């Protein structure tokens, strides 16, 4: 049991480490040098087996074909989205009111004749008499009423409408350049474009036909005959508004403007006299007018004096100055059988401004008979 023993079958023919098995194979040196080693690639080693990864398309094809088609599709989608947004933006879900054109202005200009000679004096003394002493100066006499929204107009929109009306009154009644007839643009640019041709015709070719009296649009004097003795014009009156229709706001102004005038060549301040113009104007504004700061003048009823009843006040007002009297001629005669444009034949009587008692006339109606005074008005 001690020591090494042989296997039961005996010792092997070729023991381990023996070289008898390869003894017939002889590799000489020339064979070894001529041998060439070659290593196959992974694809070659795989042989005909299916590829595990899907082959991607050529990058050049993507750039030339597929990429251009994707870009075109993206541009088309963006264009469609933009068109839909524009369509939705312009298409309001609420019905839009039909386009409204401004109506022509209808005017009535009534001269007021004094009973006697026109009183004169310094502007201070004349303005200190009743009822002008209670008037305010310039634009301060044009005040807004209390503003409350209507069904379709907000407080801010009503305030904008009143501001546009006030600008029109200031430019057409208080602007010195407009009063002398040297400019008209400040008044014209506040008008609706539909009314501007009528305005231009009234100023270039005035007529007493109820539609083309320049003095229905604005206050104008002959600069060669009169001038302002005091630039501080006295003003008193009221503004009121109401929604006349859905989307249409009406504003009525009733103001009295009192001017201290004197002859254009007058050397003294004590030769001034007062001239009074009462203007009752009906304005109409829609939302487009509010946006563009413009208005439509629907009607204008004007009473102005002292003037003679025979004075033609359609182109400009013709004041009687201190010490002058009205002529004996009454209103221009009207022939109802005559053809052509009808002419107005209205005239009123102007009480002295310094009179302690002044009869009143109802707003909107022409003065009839004696005692008409545009400076007096019923107070609310």
């Amino acid at each position: 049991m001690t020591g090494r023993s042989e296997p039961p079958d005996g010792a092997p023919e070729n023991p381990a480490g023996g070289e008898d098995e390869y003894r017939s194979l002889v590799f000489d040196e020339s064979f070894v040098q001529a041998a060439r080693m070659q290593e196959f690639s992974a694809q070659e080693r795989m042989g005909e087996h299916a590829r595990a990864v899907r082959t991607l398309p050529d990058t050049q094809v993507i750039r030339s074909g597929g990429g251009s088609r994707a870009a075109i599709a993206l541009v088309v989608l963006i264009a469609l989205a933009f068109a839909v947004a524009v369509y939705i933006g312009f298409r309001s879900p609420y019905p839009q009111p039909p386009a409204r054109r401004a109506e022509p202005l209808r005017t009535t200009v009534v001269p007021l004749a004094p009973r006697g000679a026109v009183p004169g004096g310094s502007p201070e003394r004349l303005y200190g008499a009743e009822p002008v002493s209670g008037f305010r100066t310039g634009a301060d006499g044009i005040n807004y009423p209390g503003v409350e929204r209507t069904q379709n107009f907000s407080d801010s929109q009503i305030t904008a409408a009143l501001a546009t009306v006030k600008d029109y009154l200031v430019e057409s009644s208080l602007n010195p350049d407009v009063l002398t007839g040297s400019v008209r643009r400040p008044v014209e640019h506040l008008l609706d474009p539909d009314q501007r041709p009528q305005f231009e015709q009234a100023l270039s070719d005035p007529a007493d036909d109820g539609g083309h009296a320049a003095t229905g649009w604005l206050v104008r004097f002959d600069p060669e005959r009169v001038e302002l003795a005091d630039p501080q014009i006295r003003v008193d009156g009221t503004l009121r508004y109401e929604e006349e229709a859905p989307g249409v706001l009406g504003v009525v102004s009733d103001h009295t403007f009192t001017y201290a005038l004197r002859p254009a060549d007058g050397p003294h301040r004590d030769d001034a006299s007062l001239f009074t113009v009462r203007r009752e104007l009906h304005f109409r504004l829609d939302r487009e007018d509010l946006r563009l700061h413009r208005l439509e003048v629907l009607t204008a009823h004007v009473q102005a004096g002292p003037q003679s009843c025979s004075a033609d006040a359609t182109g400009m007002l013709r004041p009687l100055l201190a010490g002058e009297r009205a002529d004996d001629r009454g209103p221009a005669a009207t022939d109802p059988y005559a053809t052509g444009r009808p002419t107005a034949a209205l005239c009123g009587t102007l009480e002295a401004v310094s009179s302690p008692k002044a009869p009143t006339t109802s707003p909107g109606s022409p003065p009839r008979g004696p005692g008409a005074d545009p400076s007096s008005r019923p107070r609310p």
Side-chain angles (χ1 to χ4, degrees), residues 46 50-54:
M46 290 176 63
R51 296 178 179 177
V53 181
R54 181 169 58 87

mmCIF file of all heavy atoms in Angstrom, residues 46 50-54:
data_model
loop_
_atom_site.group_PDB
_atom_site.id
_atom_site.type_symbol
_atom_site.label_atom_id
_atom_site.label_comp_id
_atom_site.label_asym_id
_atom_site.label_seq_id
_atom_site.Cartn_x
_atom_site.Cartn_y
_atom_site.Cartn_z
ATOM 1 N N MET A 46 -20.275 35.416 -38.238
ATOM 2 C CA MET A 46 -21.715 35.159 -38.118
ATOM 3 C C MET A 46 -22.256 34.382 -39.297
ATOM 4 O O MET A 46 -23.273 33.704 -39.213
ATOM 5 C CB MET A 46 -22.481 36.483 -37.994
ATOM 6 C CG MET A 46 -22.240 37.177 -36.665
ATOM 7 S SD MET A 46 -23.065 38.760 -36.593
ATOM 8 C CE MET A 46 -24.748 38.225 -36.725
ATOM 9 N N ALA A 50 -29.322 35.958 -39.522
ATOM 10 C CA ALA A 50 -30.062 37.227 -39.686
ATOM 11 C C ALA A 50 -29.501 38.297 -38.751
ATOM 12 O O ALA A 50 -29.069 37.992 -37.628
ATOM 13 C CB ALA A 50 -31.546 37.003 -39.390
ATOM 14 N N ARG A 51 -29.509 39.497 -39.244
ATOM 15 C CA ARG A 51 -29.011 40.604 -38.447
ATOM 16 C C ARG A 51 -29.989 40.930 -37.321
ATOM 17 O O ARG A 51 -31.188 40.981 -37.506
ATOM 18 C CB ARG A 51 -28.821 41.845 -39.309
ATOM 19 C CG ARG A 51 -27.754 41.647 -40.370
ATOM 20 C CD ARG A 51 -27.627 42.871 -41.244
ATOM 21 N NE ARG A 51 -26.586 42.665 -42.251
ATOM 22 C CZ ARG A 51 -26.290 43.559 -43.196
ATOM 23 N NH1 ARG A 51 -26.988 44.686 -43.256
ATOM 24 N NH2 ARG A 51 -25.322 43.324 -44.051
ATOM 25 N N ALA A 52 -29.437 41.205 -36.129
ATOM 26 C CA ALA A 52 -30.277 41.496 -34.954
ATOM 27 C C ALA A 52 -30.725 42.943 -34.917
ATOM 28 O O ALA A 52 -31.658 43.289 -34.206
ATOM 29 C CB ALA A 52 -29.509 41.151 -33.676
ATOM 30 N N VAL A 53 -30.085 43.832 -35.657
ATOM 31 C CA VAL A 53 -30.390 45.274 -35.636
ATOM 32 C C VAL A 53 -30.884 45.684 -37.004
ATOM 33 O O VAL A 53 -30.279 45.336 -38.023
ATOM 34 C CB VAL A 53 -29.157 46.103 -35.229
ATOM 35 C CG1 VAL A 53 -29.509 47.579 -35.204
ATOM 36 C CG2 VAL A 53 -28.626 45.635 -33.884
ATOM 37 N N ARG A 54 -32.028 46.484 -37.030
ATOM 38 C CA ARG A 54 -32.588 46.946 -38.302
ATOM 39 C C ARG A 54 -31.708 48.037 -38.889
ATOM 40 O O ARG A 54 -31.260 48.934 -38.192
ATOM 41 C CB ARG A 54 -34.004 47.484 -38.089
ATOM 42 C CG ARG A 54 -34.672 47.965 -39.356
ATOM 43 C CD ARG A 54 -36.147 48.215 -39.097
ATOM 44 N NE ARG A 54 -36.334 49.176 -38.031
ATOM 45 C CZ ARG A 54 -36.371 50.501 -38.229
ATOM 46 N NH1 ARG A 54 -36.250 50.981 -39.453
ATOM 47 N NH2 ARG A 54 -36.565 51.322 -37.224
#
